[in-house]
Amino acid sequence: MNFVALRMLTGDRAKYFGLVFAIAFCTFLLENQTTIFANIMKRTASQILDVTDAEVWVMDPQTEYWEQTKALKDTDLTRVRGVPGVRWAVRLFKGSPVARTVDGKFAVSFLIGLDDATLAGAPRKMILGSWDRLREPDSVIVDKAGYVLLFPDEPLTLGRTLEMNDHRVTIVGISDAAAPFASLPVMHTRYSEAINFLGRERTQLSFIIARPEAGVSPSALTARIREHTGLRARTTQEFMWDCIRYYLQHTGIPVNFGITIVVALVVGAVVAGQTFYLFTIENLKQFGALKAIGITNVRLIGMILLQAFTAGALGFSLGTGMAATFFEIFLHKLATRGIVLMWQCVALTGACIFFVVIVASVLSIRRVLVLEPAAVFRG
Amino acid sequence: MGLTTSDGAGVSCRNVRKRFGSGEATVEALRGVDFETRFGELSFLVGPSGCGKTTLISIIAGLLDRSGGELSVLGTNVDELSQRERVLFRRENLGFIFQQFNLLPALTAAENVAVPLIASGTARRRAVDRAADLLSQLGLANRLNALPATLSGGQQQRVAIARALIHEPRLVVCDEPTAALDHASGEAVMELLSANAVRPGRTVIVVTHDSRVFHYAHSIAHMDDGRIVKVTRPTRTREQNESTDRTSVLQESYA
């Protein structure tokens, strides 16, 4: 009877396409909103994830996330290096100076100061130039989005100058840094240059980044560093989640997106569920005739579930395709760069759609099971 | 106590009762119906609207439970069957023809006819081939792949007849098979039903208001207010039926 079920499903094209598109719309809405939310949250840790050289981050115990740091003492670096299992540890500076162009355009920037000797933490994805040129005096690497912000409608060229805290700096490279949470230029320079550009304070050391020796896991090393120095040590993944959690707990972003996602879920679920429910109800007479003919309830349940899962799978696939296309289009825009359809969001949406289809099926099945086959005689 | 079917009886009802609702809202649809059909005969069940005809055939077909009385269908006491056995009994032994045809709109004529066979486990292709043969015998050889919506009322009822007969049931239940058709189509449908459904070992029950087709019946059970009030064997010819207006025939029947 499977072919009968599928023909009943696809027989009325208008109803069939309405049902499939309702589920596709629900899928698109859910995947779109959850993906944007997840990617924006991930942006809070973009600069952490961009530092692919290090696996361990050490910071003052009061530092909760990337944006707000309490400086470490210079001696902390030596203490960290002395912890067993540390392969190497170098300093990393993070500040927010104002960068000005000669035309007077300016922007607050993320300035990351890298260890002078090793340049550990330098951007590895370069669009123009080389990170090795940071060894030149007064040099910075700026990310593409920051460059476009400071020099709108101008081609990407090296050698342009900026002014930072009365210092003239030269752009020696343009990187493809991951988009930060706030739309600010991301600049890299050497540690010694960075503290000049910001103005000297008594302590400047924002982070120490480190890598464990072979055979020592990052989490084991973070535990040792905490034990030996009393400093806060986190693996890259842990620090990323610290930042995400901070924004979730201290900003209205999750509430805002949460409401949108709930609305998307409710609207999508109601539209998709009701469409399928009505589809079955409109076919009650046909199910009644099949019951009268002698189709068992088990067979009818199988038919309804087959219809539900077919429509659900088609709608989900179509919606996922729409969402993937949407993100593919916007992936290349500067403002939305790096926002990709995450498999976790696809899985979550799939689970939601599955749940909606199950609920709608159960409600529909209930109506079919309680249907008196004698009703078919009533016209 | 089991019910013994009298010799040759396809269906036997004794004092069958059916109540709907409870308390003050109780409606007694059947008030002790005694009804019997014989194998090889076309039995008509006639009467005014609301007299209980549809309720009675629903009970006979196992689509509705009765409130009292005894019922034997094709020699089987349906009370002894479980719900699932009743469904399987219905699938194997009963064929249905509905007033509104109740064809599946998404299936072709041949596929609609094949449904009872497919439900019984026959391979789809084989079932559709057999359905095509039967439809050809009923004059629809050129409409096998037509969807119900593209068929006339008479053609749809012929498809419904084929669907009711494809699995060679021993009891065929027809509910107002000519009600949705014009006179010519109704006559054609009754001709087909009479020629194809009536067989030794099979009994056919037709519920109808249409007095113009009474001459097809071997027996006519007249119902009123939940009871069989009279059983007659028609003597009128088709010509007599056609020359008399419907109201007068009904009045004559119910007198």
Side-chain angles (χ1 to χ4, degrees):
Chain A
M1 295 300 288
N2 289 348
F3 101 96
V4 176
L6 293 176
R7 293 286 284 278
M8 281 171 75
L9 175 68
T10 58
D12 187 329
R13 294 294 160 90
K15 277 189 215 166
Y16 172 57
F17 286 130
L19 178 61
V20 169
F21 276 104
I23 295 170
F25 172 72
C26 174
T27 301
F28 173 74
L29 214 54
L30 281 174
E31 287 180 352
N32 187 290
Q33 289 301 306
T34 53
T35 294
I36 289 174
F37 175 65
N39 276 279
I40 283 180
M41 286 293 99
K42 198 178 168 190
R43 278 185 172 190
T44 62
S46 286
Q47 277 59 61
I48 300 167
L49 297 172
D50 270 357
V51 178
T52 53
D53 300 326
E55 292 180 70
V56 170
W57 292 70
V58 185
M59 63 207 83
D60 185 274
Q62 302 295 319
T63 299
E64 289 183 84
Y65 72 118
W66 169 261
E67 299 280 352
Q68 282 182 1
T69 57
K70 185 179 176 194
L72 296 165
K73 293 194 283 273
D74 288 340
T75 52
D76 287 334
L77 177 59
T78 316
R79 292 169 63 209
V80 171
R81 281 174 175 163
V83 174
V86 174
R87 186 176 166 194
W88 56 256
V90 296
R91 51 197 173 176
L92 188 92
F93 170 84
K94 185 201 77 70
S96 302
V98 175
R100 284 189 180 80
T101 67
V102 290
D103 296 335
K105 195 163 179 60
F106 68 95
V108 175
S109 312
F110 280 125
L111 182 67
I112 299 165
L114 311 169
D115 178 60
D116 287 56
T118 61
L119 295 182
R124 301 305 177 193
K125 287 189 279 183
M126 297 294 293
I127 294 172
L128 212 56
S130 162
W131 55 268
D132 206 35
R133 287 188 63 191
L134 283 178
R135 298 186 193 285
E136 296 171 14
D138 300 324
S139 58
V140 292
I141 291 173
V142 62
D143 72 322
K144 185 185 171 187
Y147 185 97
V148 171
L149 186 73
L150 290 165
F151 306 101
D153 304 322
E154 293 188 36
L156 303 180
T157 51
L158 302 181
R160 286 184 181 275
T161 57
L162 295 168
E163 182 258 310
M164 254 190 251
N165 194 26
D166 294 333
H167 287 78
R168 181 175 169 277
V169 299
T170 307
I171 297 172
V172 295
I174 296 171
S175 71
D176 188 23
F181 181 67
S183 301
L184 304 180
V186 180
M187 297 191 188
H188 290 79
T189 188
R190 279 179 287 123
Y191 188 92
S192 57
E193 301 277 28
I195 55 178
N196 278 333
F197 300 158
L198 259 292
R200 182 165 286 280
E201 294 176 14
R202 196 170 71 82
T203 53
Q204 297 281 4
L205 184 54
S206 310
F207 296 102
I208 295 167
I209 54 173
R211 189 173 265 268
E213 286 178 342
V216 179
S217 70
S219 55
L221 183 60
T222 56
R224 284 186 202 173
I225 292 172
R226 278 196 295 273
E227 190 184 332
H228 283 77
T229 65
L231 298 174
R232 186 162 189 256
R234 309 289 281 163
T235 65
T236 299
Q237 285 296 311
E238 287 170 346
F239 195 29
M240 177 191 81
W241 281 109
D242 288 344
C243 295
I244 292 173
R245 262 193 298 275
Y246 183 88
Y247 278 90
L248 288 175
Q249 288 168 0
H250 296 95
T251 70
I253 296 168
V255 176
N256 195 6
F257 267 94
I259 289 169
T260 312
I261 290 169
V262 168
V263 168
L265 180 63
V266 170
V267 170
V270 167
V271 170
Q274 192 187 31
T275 309
F276 183 74
Y277 180 70
L278 288 178
F279 172 81
T280 308
I281 297 309
E282 285 171 7
N283 286 338
L284 266 185
K285 202 174 163 192
Q286 295 178 43
F287 284 116
L290 289 172
K291 264 184 130 172
I293 286 169
I295 310 295
T296 59
N297 280 340
V298 173
R299 191 67 75 80
L300 288 175
I301 290 170
M303 289 173 70
I304 292 171
L305 287 178
L306 178 65
Q307 290 175 339
F309 284 111
T310 303
L314 278 172
F316 177 70
S317 305
L318 191 64
T320 301
M322 286 159 60
T325 307
F326 174 87
F327 287 115
E328 180 59 29
I329 291 168
F330 286 93
L331 177 67
H332 305 294
K333 308 272 183 199
L334 271 182
T336 51
R337 68 190 185 280
I339 295 183
V340 291
L341 182 59
M342 299 171 80
W343 69 263
Q344 293 92 337
C345 299
V346 175
L348 179 71
T349 303
C352 290
I353 295 294
F354 181 76
F355 175 75
V356 167
V357 164
I358 288 287
V359 169
S361 302
V362 167
L363 292 174
S364 309
I365 286 168
R366 201 182 136 271
R367 286 294 301 268
V368 172
L369 292 185
V370 300
L371 172 71
E372 259 187 21
V376 291
F377 282 134
R378 294 182 199 128
Chain B
M1 189 179 76
L3 179 69
T4 307
T5 311
S6 58
D7 189 34
V11 174
S12 179
C13 302
R14 300 273 169 80
N15 195 29
V16 167
R17 295 175 173 278
K18 178 65 183 175
R19 280 186 296 275
F20 292 104
S22 58
E24 289 184 3
T26 301
V27 174
E28 197 148 13
L30 300 179
R31 302 164 181 267
V33 171
D34 292 320
F35 176 63
E36 196 169 276
T37 69
R38 294 183 170 278
F39 285 119
E41 287 195 354
L42 197 61
S43 304
F44 276 30
L45 204 50
V46 304
S49 293
C51 72
K53 305 184 296 293
T54 300
T55 302
L56 180 59
I57 59 163
S58 296
I59 288 171
I60 290 169
L63 304 178
L64 203 59
D65 290 329
R66 63 190 187 282
S67 308
E70 295 180 1
L71 170 66
S72 167
V73 179
L74 306 171
T76 302
N77 184 347
V78 290
D79 292 338
E80 293 171 356
L81 303 177
S82 66
Q83 277 299 327
R84 181 175 166 74
E85 285 170 336
R86 283 187 202 187
V87 173
L88 297 180
F89 179 79
R90 201 159 68 223
R91 183 197 292 173
E92 283 177 22
N93 296 295
L94 270 71
F96 291 94
I97 297 170
F98 307 103
Q99 180 180 343
Q100 297 299 330
F101 323 128
N102 284 336
L103 301 175
L104 300 178
L107 302 188
T108 64
E111 288 168 342
N112 261 293
V113 175
V115 165
L117 291 179
I118 294 168
S120 303
T122 307
R124 180 180 159 195
R125 184 178 291 267
R126 209 171 136 219
V128 172
D129 286 346
R130 275 184 59 187
D133 289 343
L134 184 54
L135 280 173
S136 299
Q137 289 171 33
L138 296 180
L140 288 173
N142 58 342
R143 304 309 311 269
L144 298 179
N145 295 316
L147 293 173
T150 65
L151 299 173
S152 68
Q155 288 173 326
Q156 286 190 57
Q157 198 58 299
R158 275 192 274 171
V159 173
I161 290 171
R163 181 179 65 183
L165 301 179
I166 185 78
H167 55 305
E168 299 183 350
R170 295 173 63 210
L171 169 61
V172 179
V173 178
C174 314
D175 182 42
E176 304 273 11
T178 60
L181 306 175
D182 58 52
H183 177 56
S185 300
E187 274 287 339
V189 161
M190 285 309 299
E191 283 284 354
L192 282 173
L193 196 60
S194 185
N196 293 279
V198 182
R199 293 269 190 282
R202 178 186 288 163
T203 184
V204 183
I205 302 173
V206 178
V207 166
T208 187
H209 273 104
D210 191 351
S211 58
R212 295 167 301 188
V213 298
F214 280 6
H215 56 276
Y216 288 99
H218 292 100
S219 70
I220 301 175
H222 302 260
M223 278 192 82
D224 193 20
D225 197 22
R227 290 190 186 88
I228 301 286
V229 292
K230 184 173 68 173
V231 178
T232 58
R233 296 241 158 204
T235 52
R236 299 175 71 88
T237 63
R238 174 191 297 190
E239 291 70 27
Q240 283 173 314
N241 272 338
E242 286 177 354
S243 63
T244 314
D245 76 86
R246 177 186 167 134
T247 312
S248 62
V249 171
L250 282 172
Q251 283 169 344
E252 184 185 315
S253 299
Y254 301 149

